[in-house]
């Protein structure tokens, strides 16, 4: 039986509009407010050019390598992960492998209170553990 395999690849600036469109969908579904498109375009450009970003036909994941301010360590910090199909799992796996290839000390993933339960299941099934609690004050 042949199974569908999503094509996952490093994002390029040619993917910018595609990722913006997905970001608009994500924001509408999970934040219920419009994006600042200028700010979003700038941030995604930065993540493509200087971060770790992967894309599929129906999803993306991106993050940055950041130093730890308390220890001699580096983290690959995910700042966006969204897919409208099962490519989300493959995007996540590519992101984790990139962290391993970069030899970072930790990979940090975030879910929202409104994220589907499968997101946390995927993260935990790959050996991640809960490390911090994040609080938000919307102003």
């Amino acid at each position: 039986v042949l199974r569908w395999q999503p094509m996952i690849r490093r994002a390029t600036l040619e993917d910018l509009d595609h990722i913006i469109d997905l970001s608009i969908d994500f924001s509408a579904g999970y934040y219920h407010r419009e994006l600042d498109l200028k700010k979003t375009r700038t941030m995604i450009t930065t993540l493509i050019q200087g971060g770790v970003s992967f894309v599929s036909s129906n999803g993306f994941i991106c993050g940055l390598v950041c130093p730890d301010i308390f220890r001699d360590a580096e983290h690959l910090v995910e700042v966006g992960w969204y897919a409208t199909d099962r490519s989300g799992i493959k995007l996540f796996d590519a992101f984790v492998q990139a962290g391993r290839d970069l030899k970072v000390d930790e990979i940090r993933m975030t879910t929202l209170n409104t994220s589907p339960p499968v997101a946390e299941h995927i993260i935990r099934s790959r050996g991640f553990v809960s490390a911090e609690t994040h609080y938000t004050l919307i102003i």
Side-chain angles (χ1 to χ4, degrees), residues 29-119:
Y30 292 94
Y31 285 117
H32 310 294
R33 58 181 168 179
E34 288 187 38
L35 287 178
D36 177 333
L37 291 176
K38 183 177 179 183
K39 187 186 294 185
T40 300
R41 181 172 293 279
T42 299
M43 185 62 182
I44 292 173
T45 298
T46 299
L47 291 166
I48 289 171
Q49 291 179 324
V52 175
S53 300
F54 291 93
V55 67
S56 69
S57 59
N58 293 301
F60 73 96
I61 191 167
C62 52
L64 290 168
V65 174
C66 300
D68 187 305
I69 64 170
F70 302 111
R71 301 176 290 149
D72 181 21
E74 286 189 321
H75 313 288
L76 176 55
V77 180
E78 170 263 325
V79 295
W81 176 32
Y82 177 67
T84 60
D85 62 9
R86 292 183 56 86
S87 70
I89 296 168
K90 297 293 184 189
L91 289 161
F92 175 77
D93 289 341
F95 188 79
V96 170
Q97 186 57 53
R100 288 188 175 114
D101 294 345
L102 290 167
K103 298 182 180 2
V104 297
D105 300 286
E106 291 180 6
I107 301 169
R108 295 183 176 180
M109 298 294 297
T110 303
T111 60
L112 300 171
N113 289 339
T114 55
S115 293
V118 69

Side-chain angles (χ1 to χ4, degrees), residues 106-109 120 123-132:
E106 291 180 6
I107 301 169
R108 295 183 176 180
M109 298 294 297
E120 184 175 349
I123 292 168
R124 287 186 180 276
S125 73
R126 301 306 197 271
F128 284 70
V129 296
S130 180
E132 294 183 16

